[in-house]
C-alpha cells in the first residue's frame, strides 16, 4: 500500500481492505511506521515507540474485532499495558512498567487495534497543552507549528490529524480528548461517566471526572471503537445506562428533528472570541438545514468560580497521590527537578487540603450534574463553543502557580470540565477553520447516557461539511 492511499483511509476503510484481502496488518503497520518516522519528529507527538516489535506482532496478527488489525496508538496516560511503559509526561514517573494489561487495553486489542507507540501528554495529564519537560520539546500542532495541540491527549490529536493513524486512544478528565481534538481539527468524543472501563487497578479517576476513549478522523471510527470498548466492568463504581444498540448502526439512521440549545455566552461573562462564535453560527446553520430546531439559550446558572476551585482541589489532591506513591515505591525523596514548577505548586497546594474540602469538592461536582440534567430536560442536545479562543500559541500557559493556571484554563476551556463534573457525553466537532486553516471547533453535549444521539448528529454534520477532506501541510 502506498502512503497516499494509507493516509486517505479511516480505520473502517482499512478494516474493509483487510477483510477483502487487499492488504495485510503488516502492510498497514509498515505504512504507519514510515509515516510516523517522517512526521512525528516535527510534531514531537510520540514516545515509547516499539516499531520493530509492533511490525513483528502485525506480521503474525490474527484478524479480530471490528478493525481487524490496524495501527493504533496508546496515550502516555498510565493506561496499563505490558508492552509499553508510561510516564504521564513526568520525569518523576518516567518508565513506569506494568505486569498486566488494563481492561481497556484488552478491549482495544480485541477490537483489532495494534498499538505501536504511546502519544505525548503534559505532566500528569493536567494541562490543556502538551509541553512537558519530560518530552524534550513541546508537541506541535500540524496546522500551525507555533500553536499548541491542546492537551492532555495532544500527541494523539496531532498524530490523527497528521494521518499517522486514523484513530488513537485518548482520555478526558477536564476536556483532554475534546480540547486537542478542537485544536487539531479531528473528532473527539468524551463518553458518559461509567461507559468505558477503568480497571482493574482503579475504579475512577479524578473523583469520577475522568474517562477514556478515542480521537479519530471520522465519526464512524469513534462509533465503532465505542461499540468495542464500552460496557460495564465488574466491580466498577459507576455504570452508564445500557446502550440501546450499536453506535455504528445508530449513525446510519436518520434522527428525528431535535431541540438543540445554542450557547453563545459563558459563565461569569467570560469573553468568547469572534472565531468560536462564528464556528457556533456555522454549526447552528448546518443543524437548521438538517431539520433540527435550534434555540438560543443561556447556560444554566451555576457557581462557576466554586466549580473551578473544586476542580483544582481534586487535581491537586491527585498530584499528591501520584507523587507520594512513586516516592514510596522508589524509597526516594522529592528532588528539585522531579516536577515542573506548576505541578510542584499543585503538589504543595494538595498537601494543605483538608479532607472536608475534598469531600465538599466532590459534592460540588454532584451539584453540577443535577443542574445540567435538569437543564437538559428541555433540550435533546446543547451546542456550545469548544474553546473560547483560537488554539493557544506554545508557551502561553507557562504559569508557575497552580491556582493561577487553573483560573487561566477556566477562561480558555470554559465549556469543557463542567461536563466531566456532570458526567454527560460531549463531542468536539471540527467543522470550521480560520482563513489560515487553524481549526475552530464546536461542541455537542447530550443527556447522560446518550452518546448515540451525539454520534448520530455528529455524523449528519460530517456529511454536510466533511472535515476529513481537510489535511494539514507541514
Amino acid at each position: 500500500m502506498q502512503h497516499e492511499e494509507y493516509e486517505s483511509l479511516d480505520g473502517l476503510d482499512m478494516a474493509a481492505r483487510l477483510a477483502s484481502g487487499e492488504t495485510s496488518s503488516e502492510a498497514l503497520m509498515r505504512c504507519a511506521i514510515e509515516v510516523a518516522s517522517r512526521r512525528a519528529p516535527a510534531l514531537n507527538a510520540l514516545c515509547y515507540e516499539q516499531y520493530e516489535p509492533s511490525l513483528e506482532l502485525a506480521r503474525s496478527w490474527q484478524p479480530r474485532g471490528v478493525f481487524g488489525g490496524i495501527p493504533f496508538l496508546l496515550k502516555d496516560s498510565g493506561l496499563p499495558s505490558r508492552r509499553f511503559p508510561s510516564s504521564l509526561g513526568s520525569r518523576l514517573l518516567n518508565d513506569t512498567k506494568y505486569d498486566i494489561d488494563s481492561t481497556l487495553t484488552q478491549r482495544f486489542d480485541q477490537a483489532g487495534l495494534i498499538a505501536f507507540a504511546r502519544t505525548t501528554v503534559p505532566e500528569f495529564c493536567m494541562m490543556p497543552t502538551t509541553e512537558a519537560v519530560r518530552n524534550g520539546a513541546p508537541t506541535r500542532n500540524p496546522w500551525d507549528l507555533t500553536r499548541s495541540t491542546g492537551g492532555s491527549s495532544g500527541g494523539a490529536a496531532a498524530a490523527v490529524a497528521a494521518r499517522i493513524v486514523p484513530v488513537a486512544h485518548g482520555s478526558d478528565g477536564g476536556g483532554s480528548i475534546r480540547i486537542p481534538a478542537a485544536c487539531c481539527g479531528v473528532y473527539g468524543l468524551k463518553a458518559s461517566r461509567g461507559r468505558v472501563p477503568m480497571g482493574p487497578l482503579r475504579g475512577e479517576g479524578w473523583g469520577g471526572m475522568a474517562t477514556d476513549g478515542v480521537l479519530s478522523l471520522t465519526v464512524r471510527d469513534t462509533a465503532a471503537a465505542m461499540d468495542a470498548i464500552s460496557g460495564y466492568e465488574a466491580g466498577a463504581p459507576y455504570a452508564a445506562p445500557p446502550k440501546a444498540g450499536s453506535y455504528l448502526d445508530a449513525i446510519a439512521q436518520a434522527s428525528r428533528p431535535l431541540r438543540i440549545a445554542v450557547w453563545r455566552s459563558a459563565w461569569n461573562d467570560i469573553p468568547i472570541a469572534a472565531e468560536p462564535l462564528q464556528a457556533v453560527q456555522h454549526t447552528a446553520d448546518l443543524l437548521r438545514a438538517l431539520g433540527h430546531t435550534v434555540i438560543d439559550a443561556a447556560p444554566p446558572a451555576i457557581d462557576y468560580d466554586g466549580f473551578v476551585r473544586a476542580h483544582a482541589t481534586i487535581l491537586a489532591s491527585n498530584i499528591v497521590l501520584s507523587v507520594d506513591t512513586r516516592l514510596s515505591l522508589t524509597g526516594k525523596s522529592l528532588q528539585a527537578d522531579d516536577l515542573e514548577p506548576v505541578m510542584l505548586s499543585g503538589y504543595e497546594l494538595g498537601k494543605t487540603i483538608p479532607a472536608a474540602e475534598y469531600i465538599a469538592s466532590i459534592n460540588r461536582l454532584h451539584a453540577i450534574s443535577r443542574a445540567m440534567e435538569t437543564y437538559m430536560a428541555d433540550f435533546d442536545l446543547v451546542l456550545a463553543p469548544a474553546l473560547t479562543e483560537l488554539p493557544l500559541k506554545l508557551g502561553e500557559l507557562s504559569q508557575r502557580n497552580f491556582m493561577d493556571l487553573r483560573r487561566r484554563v477556566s477562561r480558555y476551556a470554559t465549556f469543557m470540565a463542567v461536563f466531566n463534573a456532570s458526567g454527560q457525553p460531549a463531542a468536539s466537532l471540527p467543522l470550521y477553520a480560520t482563513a489560515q486553516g487553524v481549526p475552530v471547533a464546536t461542541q455537542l453535549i447530550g443527556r447522560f447516557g446518550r452518546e448515540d444521539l451525539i454520534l448520530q448528529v455528529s455524523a449528519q454534520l460530517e456529511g454536510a461539511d466533511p472535515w476529513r477532506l481537510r489535511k494539514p501541510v507541514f
Side-chain angles (χ1 to χ4, degrees):
M1 179 178 290
Q2 298 298 312
H3 295 165
E4 293 78 9
E5 182 184 7
Y6 172 85
E7 293 172 27
S8 72
L9 304 177
D10 74 354
L12 290 177
D13 286 333
M14 292 182 186
R17 281 162 172 72
L18 283 172
S20 69
E22 294 176 53
T23 190
S24 66
S25 293
E26 179 186 0
L28 291 171
M29 184 63 73
R30 195 174 298 280
C31 280
I33 291 170
E34 289 172 357
V35 174
S37 297
R38 290 203 326 268
R39 294 188 178 158
L43 300 173
N44 195 33
L46 303 185
C47 59
Y48 294 116
E49 298 91 335
Q50 296 278 356
Y51 290 166
E52 287 306 317
S54 299
L55 192 58
E56 183 62 31
L57 179 61
R59 188 173 296 122
S60 60
W61 187 262
Q62 295 300 310
R64 56 179 172 266
V66 65
F67 291 105
I70 70 169
F72 185 64
L73 296 166
L74 290 178
K75 181 179 175 180
D76 187 19
S77 59
L79 184 73
S81 167
R82 289 175 294 176
R83 294 184 57 220
F84 296 95
S86 186
S87 75
L88 275 82
S90 176
R91 291 165 291 180
L92 179 66
L93 303 183
N94 200 40
D95 297 340
T96 300
K97 294 180 173 62
Y98 306 93
D99 57 10
I100 66 164
D101 292 327
S102 70
T103 303
L104 180 57
T105 301
Q106 294 173 32
R107 290 189 185 182
F108 282 141
D109 181 274
Q110 290 303 311
L113 296 165
I114 311 174
F116 64 93
R118 287 200 189 259
T119 54
T120 50
V121 300
E123 188 163 33
F124 299 131
C125 296
M126 285 190 185
M127 295 272 280
T129 185
T130 302
E131 303 179 47
V133 173
R134 183 266 169 200
N135 297 330
T139 300
R140 298 181 180 277
N141 192 319
W143 295 94
D144 179 348
L145 296 179
T146 70
R147 291 187 185 272
S148 169
T149 58
S152 62
S153 305
V160 172
R163 306 305 198 265
I164 294 170
V165 291
V167 59
H169 167 229
S171 59
D172 193 317
S176 286
I177 286 174
R178 293 161 291 149
I179 295 169
C183 290
C184 295
V186 300
Y187 185 70
L189 171 74
K190 181 197 79 70
S192 297
R193 180 180 293 126
R195 179 69 71 200
V196 179
M198 301 195 75
L201 298 183
R202 63 176 183 165
E204 67 168 28
W206 297 359
M209 287 192 292
T211 186
D212 287 271
V214 298
L215 299 92
S216 63
L217 286 177
T218 61
V219 175
R220 70 177 194 155
D221 274 1
T222 288
M226 288 299 301
D227 278 336
I229 66 175
S230 64
Y232 181 70
E233 177 186 28
Y238 308 113
K243 60 179 186 174
S246 162
Y247 294 129
L248 200 52
D249 289 345
I251 66 170
Q253 300 167 5
S255 75
R256 61 182 171 81
L258 303 175
R259 282 174 54 85
I260 302 175
V262 180
W263 294 354
R264 304 176 195 265
S265 61
W267 297 282
N268 294 359
D269 295 321
I270 292 169
I272 304 172
E275 296 89 349
L277 291 174
Q278 291 161 5
V280 167
Q281 185 61 51
H282 175 67
T283 307
D285 290 343
L286 290 174
L287 289 167
R288 285 195 185 94
L290 289 165
H292 301 296
T293 301
V294 178
I295 305 159
D296 278 7
I302 60 172
D303 179 1
Y304 188 67
D305 286 339
F307 165 68
V308 172
R309 289 193 300 273
H311 191 199
T313 293
I314 293 166
L315 295 183
S317 300
N318 275 269
I319 294 173
V320 173
L321 177 63
S322 295
V323 171
D324 285 357
T325 298
R326 181 67 164 189
L327 295 176
S328 176
L329 288 172
T330 60
K332 297 179 180 178
S333 59
L334 190 64
Q335 302 300 304
D337 62 349
D338 281 338
L339 301 177
E340 296 174 29
V342 73
M343 292 302 150
L344 178 59
S345 170
Y347 176 75
E348 292 168 345
L349 172 64
K351 285 287 195 181
T352 71
I353 293 171
E357 184 176 346
Y358 183 86
I359 297 300
S361 297
I362 296 295
N363 289 340
R364 192 175 290 277
L365 302 190
H366 299 165
I368 295 284
S369 296
R370 292 185 175 88
M372 291 297 177
E373 281 295 310
T374 300
Y375 179 89
M376 292 293 295
D378 292 331
F379 302 103
D380 297 296
L381 296 170
V382 169
L383 170 66
L387 300 169
T388 62
E389 308 169 46
L390 291 179
L392 295 178
K393 292 283 188 175
L394 292 169
E396 281 194 50
L397 289 176
S398 58
Q399 282 88 346
R400 298 174 68 88
N401 178 275
F402 190 73
M403 280 307 305
D404 288 347
L405 169 69
R406 299 319 309 171
R407 293 187 189 99
R408 175 67 179 94
V409 172
S410 75
R411 298 177 67 83
Y412 172 56
T414 307
F415 301 101
M416 292 289 174
V418 288
F419 300 109
N420 296 86
S422 70
Q424 293 167 258
S428 179
L429 294 157
L431 288 163
Y432 193 74
T434 68
Q436 294 73 36
V438 177
V440 188
T442 48
Q443 187 179 194
L444 278 182
I445 301 105
R447 295 174 184 166
F448 185 65
R450 294 307 307 269
E451 288 90 340
D452 59 328
L453 207 54
I454 291 177
L455 288 162
Q456 193 173 64
V457 175
S458 296
Q460 293 173 8
L461 290 165
E462 181 184 26
D465 188 359
W467 57 74
R468 181 180 175 182
L469 302 178
R470 298 192 285 268
K471 181 179 175 182
V473 177
F474 64 97

